[in-house]
Amino acid sequence: MKHPSRFRLTLAALAAALLLATPGAFAAGGADDGGGGGNGGGGNGGGADKSLVLRVNPAIGAPGGTVAVVLRTYAPRPVRQGQIVVRVSRRPKPAKGLGLTLEELAAPVRPLTFLSATVYSPRNDALTQGLLNGLADSQLAKVTFQSPSGSVNSADGPLAVFLFRLDPSVKPGDAFDLTLDPVQTGLTDAAGAPVTLAPRSDVLTVRAPSAPFKLEADGDKVQPGAVAELGVNTFEPFGVSGGRITLTWDARLSGGAPTVKLDPRYGKSTYTVDSAKPGRLVVDFKSPDSSFNTIPGMIVAISLPISASASIGASSPFTLDSAGTYLLTRKGRKVKLALQNGTISIQ
């Protein structure tokens, strides 16, 4: 074959034509537009090609526990129907010698058992079907959906979530790649046109059953005079009845008071905000039915105006105050947390 690259392009064009000729077909693109910051926080909805960032959030789970694989976007763009496929494959450990150990050979290639799949729409009209297929070396989690109102992703944030049971035989430190399949994944907008996607993949990490839950302050890289999109992230589902989040940063970077949102897709809650002290934010919240964080992700979203006089290259720690940050179980006990801080950078 003299022109393999031309042959591959011809096949790709033919496949795209067949997809577009099929009712309800989806188109997906993988352009890197730079959207999505940190572990799921600040970022934008697309670059010059107007592609929509579709991200798999990082996930954590304990052996035998529940794992939530959350897919989110960074820009509102109403979607009528779609199919999303995530490949779950074991991440090889760094080689310590020749070949695989007995433990690695015995480790499950297909670590997940499917529990449920949900796609969010403000009108609650997304008809959803989810399944998990086992392959020789991986698993394919697939969700298909239709929304008669075309209101899926009319607000950015969590778009869909898979819930799985993690195999009890996995070991702390094991990791599995969560990769969006660009061929089988596609979304159709409210007008019936395919949405070009910029996929973002991540990793499922296994923690020890006794290890604390990770809570992360997610920073952003932002220009002077712009708005930093910040947040507080969780990585596994555990319902909480309330809590307090206290964050600090260099007040000299602020160009105004922050605004705060607790998205109801992460669970029911009521909250109050105290930002009277410059460079300090306190969010108190309650969830009477303890449904908050039954879907993990950016449970607290923060928009912080940046001063127009902020210097390029300046940065500030974006810090969770350990003395003023806690989450409560259904019985009102404090959840054991491991706090991870972020950074606000001016560029």
Side-chain angles (χ1 to χ4, degrees):
M1 189 181 300
K2 295 182 179 180
H3 303 290
S5 60
R6 183 181 302 172
F7 181 67
R8 286 195 294 270
L9 287 172
T10 303
L11 284 180
L14 177 60
L18 288 173
L19 279 171
L20 291 174
T22 304
F26 316 112
D32 187 347
D33 63 352
N39 281 334
N44 53 60
D49 60 359
K50 303 300 182 184
S51 56
L52 178 70
V53 172
L54 180 62
R55 166 132 195 208
V56 183
N57 279 359
I60 298 174
T66 302
V67 169
V69 175
V70 179
L71 298 115
R72 68 156 297 169
T73 66
Y74 293 90
R77 191 176 303 178
V79 171
R80 183 174 299 279
Q81 61 184 10
Q83 174 174 289
I84 300 172
V85 176
V86 178
R87 182 182 297 273
V88 183
S89 55
R90 176 173 286 277
R91 170 169 284 198
K93 292 183 178 180
K96 296 181 180 179
L98 297 177
L100 297 174
T101 66
L102 181 61
E103 180 180 298
E104 289 171 329
L105 287 171
V109 175
R110 297 180 289 276
L112 301 177
T113 300
F114 178 76
L115 298 177
S116 66
T118 303
V119 174
Y120 298 101
S121 66
R123 299 189 182 181
N124 296 316
D125 67 347
L127 304 174
T128 305
Q129 183 176 13
L131 56 87
L132 182 66
N133 291 323
L135 305 179
D137 61 348
S138 59
Q139 292 175 291
L140 290 181
K142 179 171 72 173
V143 60
T144 57
F145 66 91
Q146 290 186 332
S147 167
S149 66
S151 61
V152 171
N153 197 55
S154 53
D156 66 306
L159 185 149
V161 59
F162 293 99
L163 292 179
F164 303 101
R165 183 72 62 195
L166 188 57
D167 194 292
S169 66
V170 298
K171 304 297 183 183
D174 286 351
F176 299 86
D177 288 315
L178 304 173
T179 308
L180 279 164
D181 188 313
V183 175
Q184 300 186 67
T185 296
L187 304 177
T188 301
D189 69 18
V195 177
T196 301
L197 299 176
R200 298 287 185 272
S201 302
D202 223 293
V203 178
L204 162 62
T205 304
V206 181
R207 66 169 175 86
S210 59
F213 293 105
K214 181 180 175 182
L215 189 69
E216 177 197 55
D218 194 3
D220 196 7
K221 297 178 181 179
V222 65
Q223 296 177 350
V227 176
E229 300 300 339
L230 311 168
V232 176
N233 293 329
T234 58
F235 302 91
E236 53 190 310
F238 54 97
V240 297
S241 62
R244 170 177 289 179
I245 303 293
T246 303
L247 292 153
T248 61
W249 62 91
D250 187 342
R252 292 173 294 182
L253 296 184
S254 300
T259 58
V260 174
K261 179 182 178 182
L262 274 62
D263 195 309
R265 286 171 285 187
Y266 296 118
K268 294 180 180 179
S269 68
T270 58
Y271 62 97
T272 60
V273 175
D274 180 1
S275 59
K277 184 176 180 180
R280 185 177 182 86
L281 173 69
V282 181
V283 181
D284 286 290
F285 69 93
K286 294 181 180 180
S287 179
D289 63 354
S290 298
S291 65
F292 195 63
N293 194 58
T294 49
I295 301 301
M298 187 179 286
I299 58 171
V300 179
I302 303 157
S303 296
L304 176 66
I306 298 298
S307 172
S309 61
S311 301
I312 300 294
S315 67
S316 166
F318 185 54
T319 304
L320 286 162
D321 182 343
S322 59
T325 297
Y326 57 86
L327 301 176
L328 300 175
T329 68
R330 184 183 298 270
K331 295 182 179 180
R333 298 173 181 170
K334 288 187 177 180
V335 177
K336 188 178 180 181
L337 299 173
L339 305 183
Q340 179 173 319
N341 298 319
T343 303
I344 303 172
S345 300
I346 310 301
Q347 61 180 17

PDB file of all heavy atoms in Angstrom, residues 13 18 36 38 60 94 113 127 131 149 155 176 337:
ATOM      1  N   ALA A  13     -13.414   9.415   6.511  1.00  0.00           N
ATOM      2  CA  ALA A  13     -14.450  10.216   5.853  1.00  0.00           C
ATOM      3  C   ALA A  13     -15.684   9.391   5.566  1.00  0.00           C
ATOM      4  O   ALA A  13     -16.822   9.845   5.715  1.00  0.00           O
ATOM      5  CB  ALA A  13     -13.893  10.810   4.560  1.00  0.00           C
ATOM      6  N   LEU A  18     -21.314   7.873   6.869  1.00  0.00           N
ATOM      7  CA  LEU A  18     -22.317   6.892   7.276  1.00  0.00           C
ATOM      8  C   LEU A  18     -23.007   7.309   8.564  1.00  0.00           C
ATOM      9  O   LEU A  18     -24.222   7.156   8.721  1.00  0.00           O
ATOM     10  CB  LEU A  18     -21.648   5.520   7.457  1.00  0.00           C
ATOM     11  CG  LEU A  18     -21.208   4.816   6.163  1.00  0.00           C
ATOM     12  CD1 LEU A  18     -20.407   3.571   6.492  1.00  0.00           C
ATOM     13  CD2 LEU A  18     -22.412   4.463   5.298  1.00  0.00           C
ATOM     14  N   GLY A  36     -10.905  23.259  30.618  1.00  0.00           N
ATOM     15  CA  GLY A  36     -10.794  22.376  31.768  1.00  0.00           C
ATOM     16  C   GLY A  36      -9.502  22.593  32.499  1.00  0.00           C
ATOM     17  O   GLY A  36      -8.425  22.382  31.968  1.00  0.00           O
ATOM     18  N   GLY A  38      -7.116  22.187  36.211  1.00  0.00           N
ATOM     19  CA  GLY A  38      -6.910  21.423  37.428  1.00  0.00           C
ATOM     20  C   GLY A  38      -7.490  20.041  37.299  1.00  0.00           C
ATOM     21  O   GLY A  38      -7.358  19.377  36.300  1.00  0.00           O
ATOM     22  N   ILE A  60     -12.260   8.123  42.639  1.00  0.00           N
ATOM     23  CA  ILE A  60     -11.583   7.347  43.672  1.00  0.00           C
ATOM     24  C   ILE A  60     -12.589   6.359  44.249  1.00  0.00           C
ATOM     25  O   ILE A  60     -13.776   6.665  44.362  1.00  0.00           O
ATOM     26  CB  ILE A  60     -11.029   8.261  44.779  1.00  0.00           C
ATOM     27  CG1 ILE A  60      -9.991   9.237  44.221  1.00  0.00           C
ATOM     28  CG2 ILE A  60     -10.408   7.445  45.916  1.00  0.00           C
ATOM     29  CD1 ILE A  60      -9.501  10.279  45.240  1.00  0.00           C
ATOM     30  N   PRO A  94       4.557   0.962  37.058  1.00  0.00           N
ATOM     31  CA  PRO A  94       5.952   1.065  36.609  1.00  0.00           C
ATOM     32  C   PRO A  94       6.672  -0.260  36.766  1.00  0.00           C
ATOM     33  O   PRO A  94       6.547  -0.944  37.790  1.00  0.00           O
ATOM     34  CB  PRO A  94       6.544   2.133  37.535  1.00  0.00           C
ATOM     35  CG  PRO A  94       5.361   2.930  37.994  1.00  0.00           C
ATOM     36  CD  PRO A  94       4.218   1.968  38.077  1.00  0.00           C
ATOM     37  N   THR A 113     -18.747  -3.410  38.347  1.00  0.00           N
ATOM     38  CA  THR A 113     -20.081  -3.956  38.126  1.00  0.00           C
ATOM     39  C   THR A 113     -21.041  -2.789  37.991  1.00  0.00           C
ATOM     40  O   THR A 113     -21.072  -1.903  38.843  1.00  0.00           O
ATOM     41  CB  THR A 113     -20.514  -4.854  39.302  1.00  0.00           C
ATOM     42  OG1 THR A 113     -19.592  -5.934  39.434  1.00  0.00           O
ATOM     43  CG2 THR A 113     -21.916  -5.412  39.066  1.00  0.00           C
ATOM     44  N   LEU A 127     -34.516  10.464  28.783  1.00  0.00           N
ATOM     45  CA  LEU A 127     -34.718   9.024  28.805  1.00  0.00           C
ATOM     46  C   LEU A 127     -33.364   8.363  28.609  1.00  0.00           C
ATOM     47  O   LEU A 127     -32.719   8.536  27.571  1.00  0.00           O
ATOM     48  CB  LEU A 127     -35.692   8.608  27.705  1.00  0.00           C
ATOM     49  CG  LEU A 127     -37.060   9.304  27.742  1.00  0.00           C
ATOM     50  CD1 LEU A 127     -37.897   8.923  26.531  1.00  0.00           C
ATOM     51  CD2 LEU A 127     -37.795   8.977  29.038  1.00  0.00           C
ATOM     52  N   LEU A 131     -25.302   0.703  30.140  1.00  0.00           N
ATOM     53  CA  LEU A 131     -24.851  -0.686  30.231  1.00  0.00           C
ATOM     54  C   LEU A 131     -23.337  -0.720  30.287  1.00  0.00           C
ATOM     55  O   LEU A 131     -22.655   0.276  30.023  1.00  0.00           O
ATOM     56  CB  LEU A 131     -25.381  -1.515  29.061  1.00  0.00           C
ATOM     57  CG  LEU A 131     -25.083  -1.048  27.633  1.00  0.00           C
ATOM     58  CD1 LEU A 131     -23.743  -1.573  27.146  1.00  0.00           C
ATOM     59  CD2 LEU A 131     -26.176  -1.515  26.687  1.00  0.00           C
ATOM     60  N   SER A 149     -37.201  17.834  25.265  1.00  0.00           N
ATOM     61  CA  SER A 149     -37.085  19.289  25.390  1.00  0.00           C
ATOM     62  C   SER A 149     -35.742  19.817  24.892  1.00  0.00           C
ATOM     63  O   SER A 149     -35.566  21.032  24.750  1.00  0.00           O
ATOM     64  CB  SER A 149     -37.273  19.707  26.848  1.00  0.00           C
ATOM     65  OG  SER A 149     -36.203  19.210  27.647  1.00  0.00           O
ATOM     66  N   ALA A 155     -27.321  23.974  31.186  1.00  0.00           N
ATOM     67  CA  ALA A 155     -26.458  24.605  32.189  1.00  0.00           C
ATOM     68  C   ALA A 155     -25.211  23.743  32.307  1.00  0.00           C
ATOM     69  O   ALA A 155     -25.300  22.520  32.377  1.00  0.00           O
ATOM     70  CB  ALA A 155     -27.161  24.709  33.535  1.00  0.00           C
ATOM     71  N   PHE A 176      -7.005   2.786  37.058  1.00  0.00           N
ATOM     72  CA  PHE A 176      -7.650   2.416  35.803  1.00  0.00           C
ATOM     73  C   PHE A 176      -7.912   3.681  34.991  1.00  0.00           C
ATOM     74  O   PHE A 176      -8.466   4.662  35.508  1.00  0.00           O
ATOM     75  CB  PHE A 176      -8.966   1.678  36.071  1.00  0.00           C
ATOM     76  CG  PHE A 176      -8.789   0.393  36.831  1.00  0.00           C
ATOM     77  CD1 PHE A 176      -8.749   0.392  38.226  1.00  0.00           C
ATOM     78  CD2 PHE A 176      -8.631  -0.814  36.171  1.00  0.00           C
ATOM     79  CE1 PHE A 176      -8.575  -0.786  38.940  1.00  0.00           C
ATOM     80  CE2 PHE A 176      -8.450  -1.998  36.873  1.00  0.00           C
ATOM     81  CZ  PHE A 176      -8.428  -1.984  38.254  1.00  0.00           C
ATOM     82  N   LEU A 337     -11.262  13.553  56.383  1.00  0.00           N
ATOM     83  CA  LEU A 337     -10.917  14.179  55.112  1.00  0.00           C
ATOM     84  C   LEU A 337      -9.412  14.337  54.951  1.00  0.00           C
ATOM     85  O   LEU A 337      -8.691  14.554  55.928  1.00  0.00           O
ATOM     86  CB  LEU A 337     -11.569  15.560  54.996  1.00  0.00           C
ATOM     87  CG  LEU A 337     -13.092  15.634  55.024  1.00  0.00           C
ATOM     88  CD1 LEU A 337     -13.544  17.086  55.065  1.00  0.00           C
ATOM     89  CD2 LEU A 337     -13.693  14.910  53.814  1.00  0.00           C
TER      90      LEU A 337
END
